[in-house]
C-alpha cells in the first residue's frame, strides 16, 4: 500500500567486499532506500562525503528528489568529480528506491514506463594481461554460462609509442578469444585508458579483424579532445563515459562527434536523473546508451531502470562473475548475489538471447540483506588499483 508523507530520518553506510560502498536511508515510514557510493579504491573519502551531505537531507520529504538533490549540488560551491558525484549519486538512487517502495511501483514506472520488455547484458571475460590461451579459456567459460556478448581488456599498458610488444600481445589475445567463442558472440574491447593517442589510433586499426562490438575508453578522458580523430579512422563504434561526471561533460564530447556510445556510470554521474539527461542527449543525437556498471546489484538495478525507459538504451554491463569480485566470494555463493535475498536470485536468469527481464518489484526491484552487509563490512575491503609498469619501470594507468 502507498505510504503517506515519508520523511528522511538517517543515513547508514557500509563498505563491503569486493569493493562496494552501500548506503541505506532510513525513513519515518519504516521503509529503506538503498544507494551506492562506490569510488573503487577510494571508498573512505566517498563515504565521508555521503555523511557530510547528510545534513541537507535528514528531516526532508523523501518525495522531493529533484529539489533536494539539485539543491544540494547547487548550494555546494565545490561540486562535480568522482567523490562528490558518487556521494550524491548514492543518495539520489536511494531516494528513488525509497519513493518506489512507498508507492509500491518500480522506478521505471515513475519515470514514465518502459520502452522495452527485456534488456541485453554483456559480461566481463578477460582479466589483466591474460596470455592468449588463458583469455580464450575464460571467454569460453563465460559464454558457456549463457553470455551472448562479452567485454575484455584490449591491451596491457602501452608506451606513447609502443616498443614493448603490447600491440602484438593484444592482437594475439584477441585472435585467441575470437576463435574460442566463435563468430556469433559479440566481443567489446576496453582500452581502459591504457593507450596514449598514437597507440590508441594504431590499436583501433589492428583489432578491427575481430569485428568488435565497440572500443571503450580508447584514451583517458583527459584526452577526449582526440576522440573525433580516433573515431574517424575506424568503423568500430567508440564508447566512453565511466570517468565523466556531469551531463555537461557528455554534452561536450557528443557535440564534438567523438563518441557513438555513451557510458555514464550512474553512481559517478550523480544518479538516475543525470543519467536520464545523458540518455536524452544520446537519443537526440542518434547514438547509443550503455551504462558503465562493474558494481553492485544496487547500481546495476539503477542502471536497468534507466535503460528500459530510454530509446537510446541498448545494452548493460553486468559484473556477475567479474574477476574483480573474487575477493567477495562467500562459500559457493557468487559474490554478486551475496547481499540479495535468495528468493530474488531467479530474476537474474538470462534468456536464450542474453537478456534480463524487466524488474517487477518496487523501487530498484531488489532488497539488500543489510544484516549480511554488516557482517561483510567487518572484514573490510582490500581492493586497490592494480600497480602496472611499462618496460622501463614507468608507472602506468591500470
Amino acid at each position: 500500500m502507498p505510504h503517506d508523507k515519508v520523511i528522511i530520518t538517517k543515513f547508514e553506510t557500509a563498505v563491503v567486499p569486493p569493493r562496494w560502498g552501500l548506503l541505506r536511508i532510513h525513513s519515518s515510514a519504516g521503509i529503506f532506500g538503498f544507494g551506492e557510493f562506490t569510488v573503487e579504491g577510494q571508498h573512505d573519502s566517498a563515504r565521508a562525503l555521503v555523511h557530510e551531505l547528510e545534513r541537507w537531507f535528514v528531516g526532508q520529504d523523501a518525495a522531493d528528489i529533484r529539489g533536494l538533490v539539485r539543491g544540494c549540488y547547487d548550494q555546494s560551491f565545490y561540486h562535480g568529480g568522482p567523490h562528490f558525484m558518487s556521494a550524491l549519486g548514492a543518495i539520489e538512487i536511494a531516494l528513488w528506491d525509497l519513493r518506489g517502495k512507498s508507492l509500491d511501483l518500480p522506478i521505471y514506472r515513475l519515470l514514465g514506463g518502459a520502452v522495452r520488455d527485456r534488456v541485453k547484458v554483456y559480461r566481463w571475460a578477460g582479466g589483466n594481461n591474460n596470455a592468449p590461451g588463458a583469455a580464450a579459456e575464460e571467454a569460453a567459460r563465460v559464454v558457456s554460462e549463457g553470455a551472448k556478448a562479452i567485454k575484455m581488456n584490449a591491451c596491457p599498458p602501452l608506451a606513447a609509442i609502443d616498443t614493448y610488444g603490447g600491440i602484438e600481445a593484444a592482437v594475439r589475445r584477441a585472435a585467441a578469444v575470437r576463435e574460442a567463442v566463435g563468430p556469433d558472440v559479440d566481443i567489446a574491447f576496453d582500452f581502459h585508458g591504457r593507450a596514449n593517442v598514437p597507440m590508441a589510433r594504431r590499436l583501433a586499426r589492428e583489432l578491427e579483424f575481430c569485428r568488435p562490438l565497440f572500443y571503450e575508453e580508447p584514451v583517458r578522458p583527459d584526452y577526449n579532445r582526440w576522440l573525433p580523430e580516433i573515431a574517424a579512422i575506424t568503423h568500430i563504434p567508440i564508447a566512453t563515459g565511466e570517468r565523466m561526471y556531469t551531463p555537461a561533460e557528455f554534452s561536450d564530447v557528443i557535440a564534438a562527434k567523438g563518441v557513438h556510445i555513451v557510458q555514464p556510470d550512474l553512481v559517478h554521474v550523480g544518479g538516475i536523473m543525470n543519467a536520464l539527461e545523458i540518455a536524452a542527449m544520446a537519443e537526440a543525437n542518434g547514438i547509443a546508451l550503455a551504462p558503465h556498471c562493474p558494481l553492485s546489484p544496487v547500481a546495476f538495478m539503477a542502471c536497468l531502470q534507466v535503460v528500459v525507459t530510454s530509446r537510446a538504451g541498448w545494452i548493460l554491463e553486468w559484473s556477475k562473475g567479474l574477476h574483480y569480485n573474487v575477493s567477495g566470494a562467500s562459500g559457493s555463493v557468487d559474490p554478486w548475489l551475496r547481499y540479495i535475498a535468495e528468493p530474488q536470485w531467479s530474476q537474474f536468469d538470462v534468456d536464450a538471447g542474453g537478456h534480463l527481464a524487466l524488474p517487477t518489484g518496487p523501487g530498484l526491484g531488489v532488497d539488500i540483506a543489510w544484516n549480511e552487509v554488516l557482517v561483510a563490512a567487518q572484514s573490510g575491503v582490500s581492493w586497490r588499483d592494480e600497480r602496472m609498469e611499462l618496460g622501463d619501470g614507468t608507472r602506468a594507468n591500470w
Side-chain angles (χ1 to χ4, degrees):
M1 292 291 292
H3 291 261
D4 295 328
K5 193 172 184 179
V6 176
I7 302 299
I8 301 163
T9 59
K10 186 175 74 170
F11 286 7
E12 186 179 4
T13 57
V15 176
V16 298
R19 52 176 196 164
W20 301 331
L22 301 179
L23 164 67
R24 182 167 76 155
I25 291 185
H26 295 240
S27 74
S28 60
I31 53 179
F32 303 100
F34 294 97
E36 180 166 355
F37 55 86
T38 299
V39 178
E40 299 92 317
Q42 301 177 32
H43 290 90
D44 290 343
S45 49
R47 183 181 191 177
L49 261 174
V50 171
H51 288 290
E52 187 151 359
L53 298 179
E54 183 176 4
R55 61 194 173 96
W56 297 107
F57 295 89
V58 168
Q60 302 299 314
D61 186 344
D64 293 334
I65 302 173
R66 186 175 294 277
L68 289 173
V69 173
R70 184 68 202 201
C72 178
Y73 181 90
D74 288 335
Q75 288 180 60
S76 301
F77 188 75
Y78 296 101
H79 52 218
H83 295 82
F84 185 93
M85 298 306 284
S86 179
L88 194 61
I91 296 165
E92 196 255 22
I93 290 168
L95 291 178
W96 277 109
D97 188 34
L98 195 58
R99 183 61 172 161
K101 289 173 179 172
S102 72
L103 297 174
D104 198 28
L105 289 172
I107 292 170
Y108 69 84
R109 292 284 301 278
L110 306 181
L111 302 177
V115 299
R116 54 182 54 84
D117 56 17
R118 57 194 180 278
V119 174
K120 192 173 183 69
V121 293
Y122 69 83
R123 296 267 304 276
W124 263 92
N128 289 321
N129 294 330
N130 280 354
E137 182 178 337
E138 183 175 359
R141 176 185 58 77
V142 174
V143 170
S144 74
E145 295 171 359
K148 303 300 181 183
I150 61 175
K151 185 171 77 175
M152 58 183 283
N153 282 315
C155 60
L158 300 175
I161 304 298
D162 177 58
T163 55
Y164 297 109
I167 296 287
E168 182 180 352
V171 170
R172 287 200 307 268
R173 189 168 66 167
V177 169
R178 173 52 77 194
E179 182 177 0
V181 303
D184 298 326
V185 172
D186 288 314
I187 304 174
F189 289 116
D190 187 354
F191 288 36
H192 223 244
R194 292 175 177 175
N196 280 350
V197 175
M199 290 301 96
R201 296 174 77 253
R202 181 176 169 191
L203 194 60
R205 297 296 289 270
E206 295 274 2
L207 292 178
E208 285 187 344
F209 77 93
C210 206
R211 296 185 293 109
L213 187 62
F214 58 81
Y215 291 144
E216 179 173 328
E217 211 175 42
V219 292
R220 284 159 42 172
D222 318 46
Y223 312 133
N224 274 354
R225 60 190 175 276
W226 289 95
L227 285 179
E229 177 177 312
I230 297 168
I233 66 169
T234 178
H235 65 281
I236 306 303
I238 301 298
T240 196
E242 69 180 87
R243 289 187 281 183
M244 296 163 61
Y245 310 113
T246 65
E249 291 178 62
F250 284 87
S251 177
D252 289 344
V253 75
I254 291 171
K257 299 181 181 178
V259 65
H260 309 110
I261 303 165
V262 288
Q263 297 178 300
D265 184 309
L266 262 68
V267 174
H268 299 160
V269 299
I272 288 170
M273 289 182 291
N274 280 354
L276 288 171
E277 286 189 28
I278 295 162
M281 285 189 273
E283 185 173 346
N285 284 275
I287 60 176
L289 169 77
H292 173 262
C293 191
L295 305 178
S296 85
V298 172
F300 179 83
M301 294 302 285
C303 290
L304 195 62
Q305 306 290 333
V306 170
V307 169
V308 302
T309 67
S310 169
R311 287 279 296 172
W314 156 58
I315 199 168
L316 179 55
E317 180 174 20
W318 188 19
S319 70
K320 186 176 185 294
L322 178 62
H323 50 282
Y324 300 147
N325 293 348
V326 173
S327 64
S330 177
S332 60
V333 177
D334 186 300
W336 198 85
L337 295 170
R338 178 178 179 180
Y339 307 110
I340 305 173
E342 187 171 352
Q344 295 184 321
W345 291 359
S346 61
Q347 71 176 301
F348 300 108
D349 295 335
V350 296
D351 66 16
H355 299 85
L356 289 177
L358 265 64
T360 58
L364 288 170
V366 290
D367 275 322
I368 300 302
W370 198 253
N371 287 340
E372 180 65 21
V373 168
L374 294 179
V375 169
Q378 294 176 16
S379 64
V381 171
S382 59
W383 191 93
R384 293 293 182 267
D385 296 308
E386 187 170 340
R387 176 169 175 164
M388 290 187 172
E389 296 179 350
L390 299 176
D392 61 2
T394 302
R395 293 282 182 92
N397 195 90
W398 76 273

